[in-house]
Amino acid sequence: MRFRILGPLEVRTPQGASGDLTPRAAKIRVVLATLLVRANEIVSVDSLIDELWGENPPRTATTTLQVYVSQLRKLLHEADAEFGRDALVTRPPGYELRIDPAQLDLTVFEELHGRSRELMEQQNHRTASDLQRQALGLWRGPLLSDTPHGPLLDATAVRLAEVRTAALEQCIRAELHLGRHRELIGELQSVVAELPLREEFHAHLMVALYRSGRQADALQVFGRLRRGLVDELAIEPGRSLQALHQRILVGDPALLTPAVRAGHSPASGPAAGAGRTTNPGPAQGIGPAQGIGPAQGVGPAQGVGPAQPAPGSAAPRPHVPSGGPARAQLPPSDELFTGREEELASLRDVLGAPGGRLVIVTGAAGVGKTALTLAAAHRTRDLFDVPVFVRLRPDGHGPLDAAGVLAGVLRQYGVRGALPERIDELRPMLAESTDGRRVLLVLDDVVDAEQVRPVLSAVPDCTVLVTCRRVPDGLAGRVVCLDVPGVREARRLFVTAAGQSADAADSTECAGVVEACGRLPLALRAAAGALAGRPRLPLGGLAARLRDERTRLAELEAASPGFRARLCDALDGVGGAELRAFRLFGLLPAGPFAPDAAAAVLDTDVATARATTEALVRARLLCAELPSAGRPEHHHVPELLRLLARERLDAEEGPEVVRAALARLCAVFAKSVEDAGPSGPTAVDGVHPLEWFRLRLPALIAVARQAHAARLWAECLRLVDRMTGFLEVLGAWEERDACQGLALEAAQHLGDLAAQARLLRSLGDLAWQRRRPDTAGELYERALMAADVAGAEIERCRALTGLAGLRLDAGATDAAAALVPPALDSAPQDARTGFEAHRVLGLLALESGERDTAQEHFATCLTYATSLSDARLESYARRRLGEFRSGGTAHPDWSEVQPGVWRMHTAA
């Protein structure tokens, strides 16, 4: 059984034309193609669904995918009765197609291409050329040209098109070394017409023409390319191509024969030539290994002819091992890396383009910058001769200086022996070591521009991929900002790292763990380690352990020693004023916060707070949120950094500083709720006040809890009092119960009996609404006693109407009627008390069959509700009055006794 994807998809058996088993259905071809481009790797269910349906999968996507997989298994069994069905296996979180690499043209191509690259390093140009021609012969057209492409196949097609171009370039370079310049002219003219901006092919064509005695034609090639680059991109050709043009212009005789690398013999066969020796680097790029002759770069170690030490200099030439540097210079890719397809696609597009460039991947500590750049480097490694990875902050050491970075790169390129310490001596050595090569340098964890500027100046035509927490001043390049992964991707990362099934990603427990970790990959892996290290700990148990903010960082540190230290790396290089602001922001609740909240904790004005938050955004300690309805200008502290900030605040600031900041925060929150209340505007931040309050409710509750814990009794009481009206209207029973419970304790500590009466009565109303009459009665009685002692007549009357409602609900109409008159006496002083009293009287009248009297009471309720500007109470009164006009209700067995609260009634 053979699979061919370098062109139209084909599945063939040894029977020839009669053995064509290529599936005809497009969707099944997509599934098979996706599994083939990732052969012998797990392809997740999510990736397959994305490939099949993009962003709009059907509700039955998973089930339909299972049907496609079943049909593929039947096809594989038909092709190979013994092993075919077992080739496609289910492995969480998806499927794996296990095949012999020799069965797939893609893996054969990659193997031939890789062996050819190694032979080029060894100057065995004849065999290298033969292998590349075999590899290129496997291509029958664009990758999977008859199969619909989703994101993964699109990305693979672009990558492999670049690899095919690189293979063609290396093949042509090898054949130039073999003296086949005349035979290559026609092919090169076709290639430069197809790829008009690829400088390396223009360089090859110029050399082939020059060696064929066509110097003028070679110069015209350069002229056409230069005009195209200037007209379309406003740039000049690269330094190496300009140097080649200059050598052809002056008729350099050394360019007429291929070069031989120092320390190597020419490739076998007379066509290899015996040109002057030089010190070029390995294959690819525009340089001597292309058969262009002695070193063509410019700079101290790259002049025409053999490189020599500068006059008066005793610096030795760097020693590169005779085989050139090893091909595998990158650390292994992270086996747990998953997702990030959008970022990888962006990096692939940039890294695959010809010419030198600087790409900067920036993001907070622990967000996965190194894993992403390694994945990108591995996926594009075939485009480069020797991709190199250097850590600029080695484990257990401080950041490398500029000389240390240069030395680290040189060591990775195989340079041995003592190295000079001066930058001006190291820089030309790096330029010489990389000359003529297509280079990818990955510089991990850059601190400032001075660390890498000498490297960048030494290799201006190379591709450099940098990671850093914040973009250093003076470093200009393409910036890729890395944020925490999305919810779906974060769940997938966690279950993969924890060895859980793919189904676990959809569980509530997994959602809790991912939320507690703030979707930060560093924390997700630590949490996964906690699960893996405790086989008996269920996923729900881990979620419960991480729920407590006070111990969450300790739990993650216990699961992954060093976790907290890595998190603290985010604070490196942050100034003292910003660090103190960061600590104070630890008081802010989880989620977005507005400029007035920042100003409150910082004890400053809003303008200064904005400047501070922007500084912390640049330091990657805060995140700016996109404006939205209800939240026009907000930031948030990443979840685990917020907990770290609170730890630092408690450790480094005095308790009075913390209490004062929290008191200011409570005051700002209470005022904002008050301003948005019933007598406030019709819209707040572009949304209805109720929606505005709903968006802020979790933060308001968190601040009320903090104030209670800090024994800020007055602040806690004031904040909850302002929230009560909104909580009643929203019917947020659990939140109201919790907040008013805190406020009641605060009122007790303050000895405020009037506030106690108010809160006890409100809690009684809530208990009655929740159909807990015994609890409601007890709370009303306590409210009545507190109001009597405090002389709070209004609250006393409100408690009486509450008790009257309970008596009425129990069928004791006489007892209920006896409790109402005191409330009527207070009605002129308090409209809400009047509303409640007439509401109870209206219900009593209905129980007695006195509909006209009931209608009068509900009309009075409407008057009071209108004076209160309370839409909820007004709507209730209008509904009750509407029943009289319509002659009944839509639900005759039920009566609305309070706004939104119904009970069965026995009235005639």
Side-chain angles (χ1 to χ4, degrees):
M1 184 165 50
R2 295 287 184 270
F3 301 94
R4 303 174 73 188
I5 63 175
L6 301 180
L9 175 64
E10 289 185 5
V11 181
R12 291 192 172 275
T13 61
Q15 284 75 39
S18 62
D20 186 359
L21 295 177
T22 307
R24 295 183 179 182
K27 294 293 189 186
I28 296 178
R29 288 206 309 273
V30 170
V31 176
L32 177 58
T34 305
L35 293 167
L36 285 170
V37 299
R38 293 284 181 87
N40 301 310
E41 297 179 21
I42 299 172
V43 181
S44 71
V45 169
D46 288 339
S47 295
L48 289 166
I49 290 174
D50 288 345
E51 202 67 24
L52 285 163
W53 294 287
E55 297 181 357
N56 300 298
R59 290 185 296 105
T60 59
T62 302
T63 304
T64 305
L65 174 60
Q66 291 169 351
V67 172
Y68 294 156
V69 169
S70 176
Q71 292 175 352
L72 272 181
R73 284 182 172 138
K74 290 179 182 177
L75 182 149
L76 295 170
H77 177 70
E78 184 180 350
D80 185 341
E82 186 175 0
F83 301 110
R85 183 176 290 275
D86 296 333
L88 181 50
V89 297
T90 301
R91 288 190 61 193
Y95 301 95
E96 178 182 357
L97 182 58
R98 296 174 176 173
I99 59 174
D100 185 332
Q103 293 178 278
L104 178 63
D105 59 355
L106 172 58
T107 52
V108 174
F109 166 76
E110 290 176 329
E111 172 65 19
L112 290 170
H113 177 49
R115 284 165 54 198
S116 175
R117 286 164 54 91
E118 293 169 359
L119 290 168
M120 284 289 287
E121 287 291 329
Q122 300 164 18
Q123 298 286 286
N124 187 346
H125 300 114
R126 186 177 300 281
T127 309
S129 168
D130 291 344
L131 291 179
Q132 290 288 22
R133 286 294 176 190
Q134 290 179 45
L136 293 167
L138 294 170
W139 284 82
R140 296 168 291 114
L143 181 83
L144 296 162
S145 54
D146 63 343
T147 302
H149 287 200
L152 191 149
L153 291 182
D154 261 341
T156 305
V158 173
R159 179 181 72 83
L160 289 176
E162 283 294 331
V163 176
R164 181 180 180 277
T165 302
L168 177 61
E169 188 275 327
Q170 291 165 22
C171 179
I172 291 171
R173 188 181 343 151
E175 293 179 351
L176 279 174
H177 270 285
L178 296 171
R180 299 173 183 170
H181 38 271
R182 292 184 186 276
E183 296 92 328
L184 287 170
I185 289 174
E187 181 178 10
L188 280 167
Q189 287 173 332
S190 174
V191 172
V192 298
E194 181 184 353
L195 303 170
L197 300 181
R198 297 295 288 254
E199 294 188 12
E200 62 268 40
F201 290 109
H202 288 79
H204 293 324
L205 179 56
M206 290 165 66
V207 171
L209 290 167
Y210 180 69
R211 289 182 182 170
S212 301
R214 299 168 61 180
Q215 181 183 21
D217 290 339
L219 294 173
Q220 282 185 346
V221 170
F222 179 84
R224 284 195 298 271
L225 173 64
R226 182 181 180 277
R227 284 192 298 274
L229 290 174
V230 171
D231 291 345
E232 293 187 29
L233 303 175
I235 60 173
E236 293 285 343
R239 186 183 66 176
S240 297
L241 195 64
Q242 293 185 43
L244 174 61
H245 171 255
Q246 185 64 31
R247 297 181 67 197
I248 293 174
L249 191 63
V250 299
D252 185 351
L255 196 57
L256 291 170
T257 54
V260 181
R261 185 193 299 250
H264 290 277
S265 60
S268 59
R276 295 164 56 188
T277 61
T278 184
N279 190 41
Q284 211 169 352
I286 301 166
Q290 295 171 302
I292 296 176
Q296 292 109 44
V298 293
Q302 299 172 357
V304 176
Q308 300 293 337
S313 170
R317 293 169 59 85
H319 172 68
V320 180
S322 60
R327 181 168 181 247
Q329 294 291 330
L330 293 172
S333 58
D334 188 343
E335 61 182 14
L336 297 179
F337 182 84
T338 184
R340 300 290 197 188
E341 294 300 332
E342 184 177 341
E343 292 87 350
L344 284 171
S346 176
L347 287 173
R348 180 204 63 231
D349 292 344
V350 178
L351 298 179
R357 67 203 68 253
L358 172 63
V359 185
I360 304 167
V361 178
T362 180
V367 80
K369 301 182 294 295
T370 301
L372 174 69
T373 52
L374 270 176
H378 276 282
R379 293 193 185 187
T380 58
R381 66 180 304 155
D382 287 340
L383 306 179
F384 301 94
D385 291 309
V386 185
V388 164
F389 180 92
V390 179
R391 295 188 188 277
L392 273 61
R393 197 194 300 254
D395 294 340
H397 299 83
L400 297 175
D401 59 13
V405 175
L406 283 164
V409 175
L410 284 167
R411 293 298 188 201
Q412 287 291 314
Y413 270 103
V415 178
R416 299 293 178 261
L419 290 173
E421 297 181 358
R422 293 174 51 186
I423 292 175
D424 58 354
E425 294 177 293
L426 290 165
R427 187 163 43 206
M429 290 174 65
L430 178 58
E432 181 181 2
S433 297
T434 59
D435 183 43
R437 311 177 184 186
R438 193 165 185 198
V439 173
L440 171 64
L441 297 181
V442 182
L443 304 179
D444 186 47
D445 208 359
V446 170
V447 176
D448 58 53
E450 295 305 316
Q451 274 185 301
V452 296
R453 190 170 282 125
V455 170
L456 300 179
S457 64
V459 288
D461 292 335
C462 298
T463 299
V464 182
L465 183 55
V466 160
T467 72
C468 51
R469 283 193 289 278
R470 54 195 73 93
V471 180
D473 293 336
L475 207 58
R478 170 75 174 270
V479 177
V480 176
C481 294
L482 195 60
D483 200 355
V484 294
V487 173
R488 187 176 175 186
E489 204 169 277
R491 291 186 181 189
R492 196 163 58 210
L493 170 60
F494 171 71
V495 297
T496 302
Q500 300 279 307
S501 68
D503 293 341
D506 297 324
S507 67
T508 303
E509 293 82 0
C510 177
V513 171
V514 169
E515 182 181 356
C517 292
R519 308 204 308 270
L520 186 71
L522 175 68
L524 291 171
R525 290 173 182 243
L531 209 58
R534 300 170 182 162
R536 295 186 179 181
L537 177 64
L539 184 54
L542 176 62
R545 284 173 177 264
L546 296 178
R547 196 172 296 129
D548 189 344
E549 291 187 355
R550 296 167 299 178
T551 59
R552 190 179 304 163
L553 294 183
E555 287 283 350
L556 294 171
E557 175 69 20
S560 177
F563 166 81
R564 185 183 268 104
R566 287 197 61 190
L567 196 63
C568 289
D569 287 345
L571 308 182
D572 290 352
V574 180
E578 285 80 11
L579 272 180
R580 185 170 189 273
F582 170 70
R583 291 195 297 269
L584 287 167
F585 281 168
L587 284 172
L588 296 169
F593 63 87
D596 59 348
V601 294
L602 298 178
D603 196 16
T604 187
D605 57 84
V606 170
T608 304
R610 280 196 177 99
T612 302
T613 55
E614 289 307 314
L616 291 176
V617 168
R618 289 192 296 273
R620 301 292 177 191
L621 296 177
L622 288 185
C623 296
E625 298 213 343
L626 292 174
S628 61
R631 286 182 172 144
E633 181 185 359
H634 278 72
H635 295 77
H636 76 270
V637 188
E639 179 62 9
L640 297 179
L641 286 178
R642 183 180 66 84
L643 301 184
L644 178 65
R646 185 58 195 258
E647 273 192 1
R648 291 294 185 93
L649 180 68
D650 292 338
E652 299 178 30
E653 300 284 352
E656 291 309 313
V657 171
V658 176
R659 281 172 54 84
L662 184 55
R664 294 192 298 270
L665 183 62
C666 281
V668 164
F669 273 34
K671 185 176 187 308
S672 66
V673 175
E674 183 178 9
D675 291 345
S679 59
T682 57
V684 184
D685 292 340
V687 295
H688 190 279
L690 284 176
E691 176 63 13
W692 176 90
F693 180 82
R694 187 190 63 77
L695 289 171
R696 284 156 182 75
L697 182 55
L700 291 166
I701 294 173
V703 170
R705 291 186 189 280
Q706 283 194 76
H708 181 273
R711 303 177 69 83
L712 292 169
W713 308 124
E715 289 80 2
C716 176
L717 177 60
R718 179 170 181 254
L719 176 58
V720 173
D721 272 343
R722 301 303 183 273
M723 294 167 60
T724 296
F726 281 107
L727 293 170
E728 287 180 357
V729 174
L730 287 173
W733 289 355
E734 297 295 339
E735 293 85 351
R736 178 179 166 188
D737 192 23
C739 289
Q740 291 191 325
L742 296 174
L744 180 58
E745 287 187 29
Q748 290 167 345
H749 281 284
L750 291 169
D752 188 339
L753 287 170
Q756 292 177 48
R758 181 173 66 251
L759 289 160
L760 286 165
R761 187 266 312 155
S762 181
L763 287 167
D765 290 345
L766 178 59
W768 189 87
Q769 291 171 24
R770 299 172 82 174
R771 310 309 295 156
R772 298 172 182 172
D774 292 342
T775 302
E778 179 186 343
L779 288 166
Y780 285 141
E781 295 287 357
R782 289 174 59 192
L784 196 58
M785 287 189 292
D788 283 339
V789 175
E793 185 61 24
I794 299 299
E795 285 305 326
R796 179 177 181 277
C797 293
R798 293 283 301 277
L800 286 172
T801 59
L803 286 169
L806 282 178
R807 301 292 185 266
L808 177 61
D809 197 41
T813 54
D814 291 342
L819 293 170
V820 177
L824 287 175
D825 295 339
S826 297
Q829 289 79 41
D830 182 63
R832 181 60 187 269
T833 302
F835 175 91
E836 296 297 343
H838 284 280
R839 176 185 62 81
V840 174
L841 289 172
L843 294 171
L844 282 167
L846 283 175
E847 289 288 331
S848 304
E850 301 172 8
R851 293 179 59 83
D852 291 343
T853 303
Q855 185 173 2
E856 291 175 5
H857 285 302
F858 287 124
T860 306
C861 285
L862 179 59
T863 302
Y864 281 124
T866 304
S867 70
L868 288 167
S869 299
D870 191 317
R872 184 175 66 105
L873 300 183
E874 187 176 341
S875 295
Y876 170 78
R878 291 187 186 281
R879 285 195 298 273
R880 296 307 318 229
L881 289 171
E883 295 171 13
F884 297 104
R885 289 191 295 271
S886 64
T889 68
H891 307 285
D893 295 330
W894 292 85
S895 176
E896 188 179 11
V897 293
Q898 281 193 11
V901 180
W902 297 72
R903 71 172 174 86
M904 292 189 70
H905 65 80
T906 58

